[in-house]
Amino acid sequence: MGFTRAELESFRDAVVPDLIGDDCRLLFVGINPGLWTAATGAHFARPGNRFYPALLRAGIITRPVDPTSGLSETDTAHLLERGVGITNLAPRATARADELTSDELRAGPERLIQVVARWRPRVIAVAGITAYRTAFSRRKAVTGLQEETIGGVPVWVVPNPSGLNAHDTVESLAEAYAAPARAAGILTE
């Protein structure tokens, strides 16, 4: 499935619902939905995004997931059964995350507090160090486990899987995602 630029633009500012189940162990927090995600209703759906290949390589999911045309019911069920949830700091869809205002990012933690209170994940993994630094006013934060928690839930910062983050590979993303997955009890090795 492909979209024209005009078709994608028609999804600007759309909101994509969270993907979170009752047994959410590891809540991934993206920056905001991209236009392809808004068009398909599937988080991290843009072709070339390395989120799902990295989850598979890490062992967080046990079979390939292709969200480029939207998540199938089977894919959605697999993610939820594995205890994986997905939300965003900012709910508004844009072509690029840098189109968000600093105020929109700084509103993210309050939104996340509400999501965490509702779903009680074991671990939170924020995908994107720059967005994390802005949203949480932590200019010197580095990736990995953070000192702060959200509602008592440990927070990890992991690399963003976007193709725009060219210095990370599926392998390095998988390694980064495996650490919070172990802390969440999804991975046992």
Side-chain angles (χ1 to χ4, degrees):
M1 170 189 271
F3 297 101
T4 67
R5 189 77 205 144
E7 287 171 332
L8 288 175
E9 282 297 327
S10 74
F11 288 95
R12 185 172 291 280
D13 300 327
V15 174
V16 178
D18 293 339
L19 174 67
I20 308 173
D22 289 332
D23 186 29
C24 182
R25 290 176 278 168
L26 177 55
L27 179 63
F28 281 97
V29 182
I31 300 167
N32 74 308
L35 298 180
W36 197 289
T37 287
T40 62
H43 295 272
F44 300 105
R46 184 168 184 79
N49 191 296
R50 296 155 309 162
F51 181 71
Y52 296 100
L55 293 185
L56 180 63
R57 177 69 184 95
I60 296 168
I61 58 176
T62 59
R63 60 178 190 70
V65 169
D66 179 4
T68 56
S69 297
L71 288 175
S72 68
E73 288 182 23
T74 304
D75 289 341
T76 299
H78 180 64
L79 289 164
L80 297 177
E81 287 165 7
R82 297 293 297 165
V84 174
I86 307 171
T87 189
N88 288 290
L89 288 171
R92 180 173 75 91
T94 61
R96 294 174 51 112
D98 62 8
E99 295 175 29
L100 295 172
T101 67
S102 293
D103 287 343
E104 284 178 288
L105 284 175
R106 282 193 288 271
E110 185 57 41
R111 180 181 185 287
L112 195 52
I113 288 168
Q114 295 170 7
V115 170
V116 168
R118 160 68 177 92
W119 295 102
R120 301 302 307 160
R122 292 183 193 168
V123 173
I124 299 162
V126 178
I129 186 65
T130 302
Y132 177 82
R133 288 173 178 158
T134 300
F136 290 86
S137 300
R138 303 280 187 262
R139 290 186 7 215
K140 296 184 181 192
V142 296
T143 57
L145 181 62
Q146 304 302 299
E147 290 182 17
E148 69 186 315
T149 64
I150 296 176
V153 178
V155 176
W156 291 70
V157 176
V158 297
N160 189 308
S162 166
L164 298 174
N165 180 12
H167 63 274
D168 272 296
T169 64
V170 169
E171 188 66 34
S172 67
L173 291 168
E175 186 176 319
Y177 297 174
R182 280 191 290 278
I186 292 174
L187 297 178
T188 55
E189 301 118 35

